[in-house]
Amino acid sequence: MIWLIFAFGVWGLGWWVNTRLAAAPRTRVTGLVVPLIFGITLIAIWEGVVRGLEISPVLLPAPSMIAARFVASTDILWEDFVQTVIKGALSGYVLGCGSAFLVAILVDRYDFLRQGLLPVGNFVAALPVIGMAPILVMWFGFDWQSKAAVVVVMVFFPMLVNTVQGLADSSAMQRDLMRTYAAGYWATLLKLRLPAAMPFIFNGLKIASTLALIGAIVAEFFGSPIRGMGFRISTSVGQLALDLVWAEIVVAAVVGSAFYGIVALVERAVTFWHPSQRHS
Amino acid sequence: MIVEQLKDATEFHRVEPVISAKNLDLTFQTNDGPVHALKDVSLQIGKGEFVSFIGPSGCGKTTFLRCMADLEHPTSGEITVNGVSPEEARKARSYGYVFQAAGLYPWRTIGGNIRLPLEIMGYSKHDQAERVARVLELVELAGFEKKYPWQLSGGMQQRASIARALAFDADILLMDEPFGALDEIVRDHLNEQLLSLWARTEKTIAFVTHSIPEAVYLSTKIVVMSPRPGRITDVIESPLPKERPLDIRDTPEFLEVAHRVREGLRAGHLDD
């Protein structure tokens, strides 16, 4: 009972503080503090309700239990992180986005590719990853290579479409200008069309960053060596070790946010000139 | 006197003109049927002239300019720039083109934008820096080299785009309503600057506008055009001296030329 009262108390307190902060003029500090208080309140209520109602840890472990497991299993979590994120997701991301970028330049240059490849790409993109993953595991083996392949399939098309669209984004006047300089294909590509495409390219990179992690984790459900985040999640559920599952989810959430954040930071540095990024 | 000589040149082809169009026709195929943008357009522009093209929208003045720049291709007729076809002239980088909007690349600084044609044309780094400094001085933008276009006013952006067209060695300047989007005060100032720039650089300038005072103030020759089909209705040799302070616009000579331009424009509309 005391835990339930604690939960409601924290709820009330968090609510009161945040409404007062949100009503005040927005500053850098409140911009950080408000979501922080929101998150802490949510975790405290979770803790209180789980303990107060004595919910089985199999259904929902308390945050403190997840934290304890996290600290106790850092070696396992690190091993899984390296296997899934670094080897599977990141290599697939680099390979998939890189090849999509190069193909986009070809598609943009040759119209028959645009007409032939883009519809096929659309078709491939519509294939569910759940269906593709077992086949790719069969082709590329249990280790990270097959996970990277799944990631490549998932990120390739969004990156391709965005880059192709970006390359077509320069205005008629800008292209006319390059024509008056008698600029060739490469000069026009490097000095006008690629810079103009950057906002689109980064849009593709951001979409791909979230897809990469999903792909790498889900692919491990269909066979993997005895490490990896997806492997750990599926086997720990079988062992009713839900605290470890949640610890892996925490890692995935943090990694996913950090990945997205890094891409967004690079975007801000590269496309500082775009109206959506200007601060002066 | 000079005007007389130019007329001789036009009629007897004794001197090779900078731009020469003969019986130019251009028809655009659109969804609403063919549009006759240019019909039987003939014109000669001599070296060092400042020629304005004026007329209502749809009269083909911009299309004509784009034909000179090899951005449009006439359906029939002949046009030469510097004695060769527009395509060869474009590939020889013999003209600078100024568009209606400044069209500066937002990811490049003002200096970077002016360097753009120089990089493409393969000028040395040292030469690039020297030229950027010189043309920025010419359009009174010295000190703005490291600013980005979006940090400048519309008038300053347009001046930067003129500097960009002046940076390389082209002796022809094609300008398509460069000051159309600017307010009157900025426009007056830029017109004055453009005249002094023309006097200093001795370039041949073709200038599209829809402002009568602007055309009369700037030009040695005014070409009046009218729409449907786009054609030349009058060519006026300006009697105004080369030295032109802004208040020349209140003199009787100026008003007389302006009147003739207005009459020409009206005549073009009679058959509507």
Side-chain angles (χ1 to χ4, degrees):
Chain A
M1 193 60 198
I2 190 98
W3 281 108
L4 281 181
I5 292 166
F6 165 78
F8 278 108
V10 171
W11 184 12
L13 186 73
W15 191 324
W16 181 75
V17 173
N18 257 4
T19 44
R20 298 211 54 180
L21 280 176
R26 216 185 133 86
T27 64
R28 247 188 121 84
V29 179
T30 55
L32 276 172
V33 167
V34 170
L36 204 67
I37 292 177
F38 196 93
I40 291 170
T41 310
L42 218 60
I43 290 172
I45 294 171
W46 177 356
E47 183 82 34
V49 168
V50 167
R51 285 177 184 243
L53 297 179
E54 288 171 8
I55 295 175
S56 153
V58 173
L59 283 181
L60 188 64
S64 56
M65 197 176 161
I66 298 170
R69 169 57 80 163
F70 190 101
V71 174
S73 335
T74 42
D75 51 339
I76 295 179
L77 293 173
W78 174 253
E79 191 188 1
D80 294 349
F81 167 81
V82 171
Q83 172 72 13
T84 306
V85 176
I86 306 288
K87 290 185 182 163
L90 209 58
S91 60
Y93 180 81
V94 171
L95 216 64
C97 290
S99 56
F101 177 79
L102 294 178
V103 171
I105 286 173
L106 288 177
V107 164
D108 173 76
R109 175 112 208 225
Y110 302 105
D111 205 46
F112 74 94
L113 279 179
R114 182 196 301 271
Q115 289 177 20
L117 196 69
L118 281 191
V120 174
N122 258 316
F123 182 73
V124 173
L127 293 177
V129 63
I130 307 287
M132 288 301 293
I135 297 172
L136 290 170
V137 169
M138 238 163 66
W139 284 356
F140 295 101
F142 278 178
D143 210 351
W144 62 270
Q145 289 87 345
S146 63
K147 318 306 177 282
V150 171
V151 174
V152 167
V153 170
M154 279 184 86
V155 303
F156 185 83
F157 192 68
M159 184 65 191
L160 177 71
V161 169
N162 272 285
T163 309
V164 168
Q165 204 182 347
L167 286 172
D169 192 54
S170 55
S171 69
M173 203 196 78
Q174 291 173 322
R175 286 195 299 273
D176 277 349
L177 182 70
M178 295 306 264
R179 220 175 122 74
T180 68
Y181 299 149
Y185 169 78
W186 289 106
T188 309
L189 183 71
L190 291 176
K191 298 204 186 289
L192 166 63
R193 302 175 63 225
L194 275 181
M198 279 304 159
F200 288 83
I201 290 172
F202 273 98
N203 196 30
L205 287 174
K206 283 195 289 189
I207 296 170
S209 74
T210 52
L211 287 177
L213 209 56
I214 297 172
I217 292 174
V218 169
E220 287 180 0
F221 290 6
F222 299 95
S224 71
I226 49 163
R227 56 179 179 273
M229 294 163 78
F231 162 80
R232 197 76 59 199
I233 288 172
S234 61
T235 50
S236 299
V237 166
Q239 297 161 354
L240 297 185
L242 266 295
D243 48 352
L244 189 55
V245 174
W246 280 94
E248 292 282 1
I249 291 173
V250 170
V251 173
V254 170
V255 167
S257 308
F259 196 1
Y260 188 91
I262 289 167
V263 177
L265 271 180
V266 177
E267 177 186 30
R268 185 178 293 186
V270 173
T271 65
F272 65 93
W273 49 271
H274 195 257
S276 66
Q277 304 280 352
R278 274 181 219 161
H279 300 289
S280 59
Chain B
M1 181 60 194
I2 291 168
V3 167
E4 287 305 314
Q5 277 174 1
L6 280 172
K7 264 191 182 151
D8 276 2
T10 336
E11 275 149 30
F12 303 108
H13 299 273
R14 277 187 198 135
V15 182
E16 196 66 36
V18 173
I19 292 166
S20 159
K22 220 159 92 189
N23 311 110
L24 222 54
D25 265 282
L26 198 155
T27 313
F28 289 115
Q29 298 299 335
T30 69
N31 290 335
D32 304 329
V35 172
H36 218 149
L38 291 177
K39 186 178 188 312
D40 203 24
V41 168
S42 299
L43 186 75
Q44 309 254 334
I45 298 177
K47 186 161 172 46
E49 276 195 278
F50 195 128
V51 182
S52 282
F53 297 86
I54 188 164
S57 49
C59 71
K61 52 192 193 298
T62 294
T63 308
F64 190 22
L65 200 70
R66 289 175 63 86
C67 283
M68 299 174 196
D70 189 40
L71 297 174
E72 302 288 356
H73 305 286
T75 324
S76 69
E78 257 180 64
I79 179 163
T80 60
V81 176
N82 275 350
V84 294
S85 75
E87 191 188 354
E88 286 167 288
R90 176 173 67 81
K91 290 194 170 144
R93 284 130 178 182
S94 45
Y95 65 83
Y97 200 103
V98 180
F99 292 86
Q100 285 178 26
L104 301 166
Y105 294 172
W107 53 86
R108 280 173 173 255
T109 58
I110 295 299
N113 269 286
I114 296 170
R115 239 183 336 267
L116 175 74
L118 304 177
E119 286 171 12
I120 293 170
M121 297 174 192
Y123 286 81
S124 74
K125 277 266 181 306
H126 176 75
D127 203 8
Q128 287 179 20
E130 210 172 57
R131 281 162 183 270
V132 168
R134 197 187 68 212
V135 291
L136 278 174
E137 195 77 43
L138 216 54
V139 297
E140 296 179 11
L141 274 180
F144 289 92
E145 186 178 345
K146 297 214 156 52
K147 291 272 185 226
Y148 283 93
W150 28 275
Q151 295 169 321
L152 267 56
S153 70
M156 289 163 100
Q157 289 185 27
Q158 197 54 271
R159 259 147 63 197
S161 90
I162 294 172
R164 184 178 58 186
L166 293 172
F168 52 100
D169 298 314
D171 47 13
I172 306 171
L173 196 54
L174 304 175
M175 308 179 87
D176 183 9
E177 292 189 46
F179 311 136
L182 305 174
D183 66 65
E184 195 97 14
I185 299 161
V186 176
R187 198 174 178 148
D188 276 354
H189 183 57
L190 290 182
N191 280 340
E192 229 182 342
Q193 281 189 315
L194 182 59
L195 268 190
S196 78
L197 205 145
W198 171 60
R200 267 180 290 164
T201 56
E202 295 178 328
K203 287 184 193 280
T204 308
I205 300 183
F207 187 95
V208 168
T209 177
H210 51 226
S211 155
I212 298 174
E214 188 171 71
V216 179
Y217 176 67
L218 292 172
S219 324
T220 57
K221 185 193 268 180
I222 301 154
V223 178
V224 183
M225 298 182 76
S226 80
R228 284 175 299 274
R231 64 196 185 278
I232 294 175
T233 49
D234 198 4
V235 177
I236 303 162
E237 301 283 350
S238 175
L240 299 176
K242 209 171 169 179
E243 200 64 41
R244 296 175 188 183
L246 269 177
D247 50 21
I248 201 171
R249 296 180 298 183
D250 300 322
T251 61
E253 290 87 0
F254 186 96
L255 296 174
E256 197 184 313
V257 179
H259 179 75
R260 196 172 147 196
V261 174
R262 197 168 290 117
E263 288 294 306
L265 288 171
R266 196 170 298 153
H269 266 289
L270 280 182
D271 39 55
D272 267 4

